Amino acid sequence: MEEEGVGGEDRIRSLPESLIRHILSLLPTKCVVATTILSRGWNNLWISLPVLDFREWKSPNTQETLSSTNSFMDFVDRVLLLRNMSDIKKFCLTCNSEYFDDQRIKAWILTAIQCRVEELIVSRDASERVDIIPVDLYTCESLTSLDIDLFGGQHLNLPQLISFPRLKILQLSEISVFRQRNIQQLFSNCPILEELCLKYCLLNHLNIISSTLKSLTFVSSLRICMSDVKIKIDTPNLISITVDDGIPQHLVVESFPSLVDADIHRMYTDPSVPVDVIPNFVKKLSNVKHLKLSGNISESLELADVLSTSFPTFINLITLEVSFYQDSAS
């Protein structure tokens, strides 16, 4: 594909602008900017793209240095400045270097909020406590999807005022939340939330009560002092549940009448948790259509002596997958 005037047809420029914009929106922003050399017609097109993806800001084998990080931060500043506050549909940012300036990160997120961002994905890796989330985020009315990952179990400071009227997807990873009232306020102020995923978080009290929630995932968020963790789940319209985690002693679960998929994995045993906790939880899944049990779930059911006595009937079950865990020392 040669440029016009060099002897060939400029096929790239002849593509419909809607198609070009769609293709560019699937690329990391640094690649999008680089494509401007392919066609003169693209020089300003990328500036108005609704997707900004800064996750792959360096090559895999490139060593992170102060200079390279500063160059990237300057690049983000220029991109946001050139866009002149036009709407942002999706903003993705990964800051996996110790040299990042948290205040600049916070300013970028604030800019995305002011540009009515709909999908926000932020990942920050730092050994020390970070402060990158502006308070304005928690009242962002345009957000439909929010994904925050603070490597290392960083504390998330939740304000008293929280409101996500359009939020449908919420994922929190490697986050510690110590104030029960604040985390409850976070969930209760997402009135149309459909997907909730908690990965490697530190939580000890949690009430998930929602008539809109359709998908719920726990990954290693309930393991710390399971005898003290208190969880209540009341989600009558839940379609999918995934638990790759411990099952705490104080777990109150209502029935799941709409459940289609359940994937329960338990790899370790906490002696402080009574043997009937696992069977009682599995019984709540009796309406499921596709059930997957793995880890030492079967061992827990056997210890509770429910397999041949009080095990529930799964009247809607279509597929069942059971994987057994065997201790290598046995």
Side-chain angles (χ1 to χ4, degrees), residues 31-185:
C31 296
V32 174
V33 175
T35 60
T36 58
I37 65 173
L38 298 178
S39 176
R40 291 189 296 271
W42 292 16
N43 286 342
N44 296 315
L45 182 62
W46 71 270
I47 295 176
S48 61
L49 289 178
V51 177
L52 293 176
D53 189 341
F54 297 108
R55 284 177 291 188
E56 298 180 15
W57 62 276
K58 67 179 185 65
S59 301
N61 297 325
T62 302
Q63 184 177 3
E64 297 170 359
T65 64
L66 176 60
S67 176
S68 63
T69 304
N70 282 334
S71 296
F72 170 72
M73 290 192 293
D74 292 340
F75 171 70
V76 176
D77 286 337
R78 289 195 301 272
V79 169
L80 293 176
L81 180 63
L82 288 172
R83 294 190 81 261
N84 196 27
M85 300 300 291
S86 59
D87 286 1
I88 297 175
K89 178 178 176 60
K90 186 174 183 179
F91 185 83
C92 309
L93 177 67
T94 295
C95 304
N96 52 4
S97 167
E98 60 180 307
Y99 304 111
F100 273 95
D101 182 343
D102 285 346
Q103 294 307 307
R104 291 176 77 173
I105 298 174
K106 181 183 286 188
W108 299 335
I109 298 174
L110 182 58
T111 298
I113 295 169
Q114 294 169 345
C115 291
R116 295 164 290 278
V117 65
E118 296 180 19
E119 300 177 51
L120 180 63
I121 301 175
V122 177
S123 178
R124 176 71 170 111
D125 187 0
S127 57
E128 299 180 356
R129 184 172 179 176
V130 299
D131 179 21
I132 63 170
I133 308 299
V135 68
D136 303 64
L137 173 69
Y138 299 103
T139 54
C140 182
E141 297 185 355
S142 60
L143 269 180
T144 61
S145 178
L146 176 61
D147 185 340
I148 301 177
D149 188 344
L150 301 180
F151 290 98
Q154 297 288 338
H155 181 56
L156 189 65
N157 293 312
L158 296 175
Q160 292 186 351
L161 181 58
I162 300 175
S163 177
F164 291 116
R166 297 185 60 206
L167 194 68
K168 292 186 176 182
I169 301 173
L170 175 61
Q171 177 166 312
L172 302 177
S173 302
E174 298 205 39
I175 288 175
S176 297
V177 181
F178 300 115
R179 294 183 180 179
Q180 178 185 358
R181 184 184 64 180
N182 287 3
I183 190 66
Q184 293 304 144
Q185 189 175 4

Side-chain angles (χ1 to χ4, degrees), residues 189-207:
N189 285 281
C190 302
I192 62 171
L193 190 67
E194 295 183 359
E195 297 182 27
L196 174 61
C197 180
L198 302 174
K199 293 184 176 183
Y200 306 102
C201 294
L202 178 58
L203 306 167
N204 55 3
H205 293 81
L206 185 63
N207 290 336

Side-chain angles (χ1 to χ4, degrees), residues 203-215:
L203 306 167
N204 55 3
H205 293 81
L206 185 63
N207 290 336
I208 303 176
I209 303 174
S210 172
S211 61
T212 62
L213 200 66
K214 297 179 180 179
S215 175

